[in-house]
Amino acid sequence: MGGGWTTRTGFILAAIGAAIGLGNIWRFPYMVYENGGGAFLVPYFLALFLIGIPMMMLELGVGGKTGATTPLAIKKTVRESEFLGWWAAINGFIVLTYYIVILGWALSYLGYSFTLAWGREPNLFFGQFLGSYYPLIAMLIVWAINFIIVRAGVEDGLEKTNKFFVPALWIIVIMMVVGSLTLEGASSGLRWYLKPDFSSLLDPNIWMNACGQVFFSLSLAFGTMITYASYQPKNSDVAKNASIIALANCGFSLLAGFAIFSTLGHMSFVSGMPITDLIEEGTALAFITFPAVLNILPFSIIFSILFFILLIFAGLSSSVSLLETTAGPIIEKFNMSREKTVLILTLVGCLMSLPFALSAGNIGFVDEIVSTYGLPLIGFAEVMIFGWVYGANKLRSYINEVSDFKIGRWWTWMIKIVIPVVLGYGILGNILKQPGLVIVLVIILAAILASINSRFS
Ligand code: PFF
């Protein structure tokens, strides 16, 4: 397997690196904006504590106890459900194929930062950029970087790079927060960011968005955390590690929000436009709105370089985790060498990234499919298998045996009742939007029921 983590800190940093990603820097601020500013933070933190942290404990617990990557960990619990682990890995791999393309854009924009090449019309510039061959070249470079890191193995590749990436991320984001808070107009942006709007709490959509953001941001239901946790020594802590990883990730999102919103406040101050007219959808925020803002900042070149390095480091530490989530199970199951596995995956991945590099429009469509057919269904299957079939209480005893602090009965309730209900509600909402999902759902439910049945008969 290329060895495991050499230290507890090595594992925690790699898991934080997997969690902190593009999702923290552009998706989180955009979600806050879309869902009523400060009001989003209440459901977000509730989702973090009620769902994110318990689920993180489940995944670290399963990885630690079984010592196996996701498909094998599931197979050890319910033989017939191994395919769910592969589905999670494939789902992660599909995300990786467009995640890398966006990272390629960030890499190109890092180059453009030195001259602020987007000029006065970042919108036009981004369109021309997407129509050129640069996204393709950048995509190949980012794949090559991922190949080199993951091929080097858990210890020499993932652990060593994350020991650099994660502290660097915090230093850069803190520098950006400090710099942006001194800008004129920053406080109006912050007021906007933190302004509560409690009426929106009654909107179930906001709650679903908060749960979706917590899952994506913490890299849950992709198999990543189970696989990463399986590379730890036996009896590694679960409860404390899970809490540290989840809180660090969400703290980082909050900080990134401070930098983004105070900068937008400044832009609103300079341009006289209300903040509500400045923000666009996710990718546009990073590649159109922000470059426009960067133009008018003091020390704009430095700010630009920092911003795109931040995106690249955050993205790379996540993309390597997605590649590992796919490579790890293949190495384990087929006894293939790491070198060969990662090479094949990289070649296949480059091909699969092509449509995204050539036409950015494909990204939104596939992202929607993955988040509809993947994330909530896999999450649901996980809590059914480990909460109900294996037994949340049994898993809780294991977690308490190995952890510095003990978790109470509440955890069992979360895993067995609250999380399935919330995910079930999300799945139901998706069905109403896309009736085709019913077929997939029936197959999954049949498979889960069949495996539960075989377990008890
Ligand atoms: N958590 C990452 C982000 O917020 O950008 C995305 C991600 C990485 C999702 C790794 C899933 C994963 F396995």
Side-chain angles (χ1 to χ4, degrees):
M1 194 81 27
W5 313 111
T6 54
T7 58
R8 177 175 179 176
T9 317
F11 161 67
I12 292 181
L13 286 179
I16 292 177
I20 295 179
L22 302 176
N24 301 61
I25 299 163
W26 59 256
R27 198 170 187 274
F28 174 76
Y30 175 66
M31 280 283 131
V32 172
Y33 169 77
E34 265 283 273
N35 293 285
F40 181 72
L41 297 181
V42 179
Y44 177 76
F45 277 106
L46 279 174
L48 170 68
F49 285 103
L50 297 179
I51 293 177
I53 295 182
M55 200 66 193
M56 181 69 80
M57 288 175 179
L58 179 136
E59 294 209 353
L60 297 195
V62 168
K65 178 154 176 60
T66 59
T69 67
T70 315
L72 184 59
I74 293 181
K75 186 178 175 188
K76 281 184 172 177
T77 315
V78 182
R79 246 193 112 63
E80 295 75 6
S81 298
E82 180 186 350
F83 77 97
L84 285 167
W86 290 104
W87 184 17
I90 292 170
N91 204 44
F93 192 69
I94 296 173
V95 170
L96 177 64
T97 56
Y98 61 82
Y99 204 86
I100 281 193
V101 171
I102 301 176
L103 259 172
W105 300 348
L107 188 65
S108 312
Y109 267 64
L110 175 61
Y112 296 139
S113 296
F114 289 87
T115 54
L116 302 179
W118 45 78
R120 295 181 150 269
E121 299 272 6
N123 208 340
L124 213 69
F125 183 86
F126 188 50
Q128 284 167 351
F129 165 75
L130 290 181
S132 72
Y133 281 106
Y134 288 118
L136 188 69
I137 298 166
M139 174 272 275
L140 293 173
I141 296 174
V142 178
W143 260 113
I145 300 172
N146 276 273
F147 169 75
I148 293 168
I149 297 175
V150 179
R151 184 182 185 275
V154 178
E155 181 185 334
D156 289 331
L158 299 168
E159 183 166 342
K160 284 207 175 121
T161 47
N162 275 295
K163 274 186 176 160
F164 165 70
F165 281 144
V166 176
L169 279 171
W170 284 93
I171 293 171
I172 298 173
V173 83
I174 288 170
M175 279 165 67
M176 289 191 67
V177 171
V178 171
S180 58
L181 284 180
T182 59
L183 295 169
E184 234 168 330
S187 58
S188 71
L190 286 183
R191 219 169 306 124
W192 209 93
Y193 174 37
L194 303 168
K195 163 201 84 175
D197 166 11
F198 290 102
S199 66
S200 55
L201 289 182
L202 297 173
D203 179 353
N205 267 333
I206 295 192
W207 287 91
M208 289 327 291
N209 283 339
C211 293
Q213 175 64 17
V214 163
F215 262 88
F216 185 82
S217 190
L218 292 177
S219 305
L220 297 169
F222 284 88
T224 303
M225 292 300 170
I226 298 182
T227 296
Y228 264 25
S230 76
Y231 300 154
Q232 296 177 103
K234 274 248 157 285
N235 298 334
S236 295
D237 182 281
V238 171
K240 196 157 145 192
N241 285 358
S243 311
I244 294 174
I245 296 163
L247 293 175
N249 175 66
C250 296
F252 190 93
S253 285
L254 276 183
L255 273 183
F258 269 87
I260 302 258
F261 281 96
S262 33
T263 315
L264 290 175
H266 178 66
M267 183 171 193
S268 158
F269 174 80
V270 173
S271 66
M273 270 160 71
I275 291 187
T276 40
D277 292 351
L278 296 176
I279 301 181
E280 312 203 26
E281 145 292 318
T283 42
L285 175 66
F287 297 100
I288 298 175
T289 316
F290 225 65
V293 180
L294 289 165
N295 278 342
I296 54 164
L297 292 188
F299 308 110
S300 46
I301 293 183
I302 296 177
F303 251 106
S304 308
I305 293 173
L306 283 181
F307 177 68
F308 288 108
I309 289 185
L310 188 71
L311 274 184
I312 293 166
F313 283 4
L316 274 179
S317 57
S318 292
S319 63
V320 291
S321 79
L322 284 166
L323 183 52
E324 180 63 33
T325 305
T326 322
I330 297 178
I331 298 169
E332 184 184 66
K333 174 142 182 133
F334 302 105
N335 228 342
M336 249 161 74
S337 72
R338 173 170 285 274
E339 289 73 11
K340 196 167 149 193
T341 310
V342 179
L343 179 66
I344 294 174
L345 285 176
T346 302
L347 294 176
V348 173
C350 284
L351 281 180
M352 286 171 62
S353 293
L354 267 182
F356 305 121
L358 295 175
S359 168
N362 292 329
I363 294 182
F365 169 69
V366 177
D367 183 59
E368 166 97 21
I369 294 194
V370 169
S371 48
T372 311
Y373 289 84
L375 215 143
L377 287 171
I378 295 167
F380 186 79
E382 265 182 35
V383 282
M384 289 323 255
I385 289 173
F386 296 110
W388 286 92
V389 181
Y390 179 78
N393 272 331
K394 221 157 107 190
L395 192 57
R396 185 160 68 92
S397 315
Y398 166 76
I399 294 175
N400 282 340
E401 231 170 78
V402 296
S403 297
D404 284 351
F405 70 79
K406 313 285 167 230
I407 47 173
R409 258 172 198 285
W410 62 270
W411 186 82
T412 303
W413 282 97
M414 291 299 143
I415 296 296
K416 287 180 88 163
I417 311 286
V418 176
I419 299 178
V421 168
V422 171
L423 289 173
Y425 180 83
I427 293 168
L428 218 76
N430 285 336
I431 290 178
L432 295 179
K433 270 195 284 175
Q434 304 185 19
L437 186 62
V438 175
I439 300 166
V440 182
L441 197 66
V442 168
I443 297 173
I444 305 281
L445 280 182
I448 296 175
L449 288 177
S451 37
I452 294 176
N453 193 27
S454 73
R455 171 102 187 170
F456 291 113
S457 58

